[in-house]
Amino acid sequence: MNRKLTTKDVTSIALLTAMSVALKFFSINIGDTIRFSFLLLPVMIAGIFYGPLVGGITGGIGDLIGHLAFPQGAFHPGFTLTGIVVGVSAALISQKIFKSKISTNRLALSLSVSVFCFMIVALFLNTLWLSQITGTSYWPLFKLRIPKSLIEMAINWIVLYLILPRLNQVLK
């Protein structure tokens, strides 16, 4: 993002961070290693609309506050790193590949961001952090988490695809 942040921008970023925290409360946990949630969706949105710095900050702060507000097990800084990487990745995909043309490339943008953030970043990194916490071997846990990541990616992709036009009007 090459412009200064306005009061409206700062408010929108704060709301996206708060949404990320609130969505952690609505997560569905299955056992110790599977959690379905939408908490990365606001982080991806922050990255797409406000750039890599804001996306990364939104992901990091959202995870830290989310853990303080709704602790689920021990804190691991790796999950904070995942949030940061998701925000930065969404921004870089939007800016470098799609040149931030959201209205003309909505399907490709939402699919690319969702696939990369869920099937690459979150699947690989969160599996690593979970294997460290639980003491489980990485690859068996990775294989177990693939269907979860596919389902979560598909749901988040559809939601992102559907809300991008409205967000483009409101946030730009």
Side-chain angles (χ1 to χ4, degrees):
M1 187 170 81
N2 295 331
R3 60 184 175 90
K4 288 187 176 184
L5 293 175
T6 65
T7 305
K8 179 184 175 187
D9 294 334
V10 173
T11 305
S12 298
I13 294 163
L15 285 172
L16 289 169
T17 304
M19 282 177 54
S20 178
V21 172
L23 288 172
K24 184 173 183 176
F25 180 73
F26 295 104
S27 299
I28 300 170
N29 293 325
I30 301 173
D32 293 335
T33 59
I34 306 290
R35 178 194 309 163
F36 290 96
S37 72
F38 291 100
L39 63 98
L40 292 179
L41 187 62
V43 176
M44 293 186 302
I45 292 168
I48 290 169
F49 285 98
Y50 295 106
L53 179 64
V54 172
I57 290 171
T58 302
I61 291 175
D63 182 73
L64 290 173
I65 295 172
H67 183 73
L68 292 173
F70 309 108
Q72 296 176 338
F75 174 75
H76 191 293
F79 294 111
T80 305
L81 178 64
T82 300
I84 293 168
V85 172
V86 164
V88 171
S89 300
L92 293 177
I93 290 169
S94 174
Q95 289 178 352
K96 303 298 181 193
I97 297 174
F98 294 99
K99 310 288 188 239
S100 297
K101 295 179 182 174
I102 294 167
S103 57
T104 57
N105 296 320
R106 180 171 59 130
L107 178 65
L109 173 64
S110 60
L111 183 60
S112 300
V113 168
S114 297
V115 168
F116 189 80
C117 290
F118 283 97
M119 298 309 297
I120 306 298
V121 175
L123 177 61
F124 281 90
L125 289 180
N126 285 348
T127 303
L128 176 63
W129 315 138
L130 286 169
S131 71
Q132 291 175 353
I133 290 171
T134 62
T136 308
S137 296
Y138 181 83
W139 291 111
L141 187 58
F142 180 84
K143 292 175 189 172
L144 178 70
R145 291 176 49 80
I146 290 173
K148 173 260 186 208
S149 290
L150 284 169
I151 293 167
E152 195 172 46
M153 182 268 307
I155 293 169
N156 278 276
W157 167 51
I158 292 168
V159 171
L160 186 61
Y161 174 75
L162 293 173
I163 65 173
L164 271 179
R166 181 68 180 136
L167 288 173
N168 199 25
Q169 292 173 349
V170 172
L171 297 178
K172 286 289 182 189

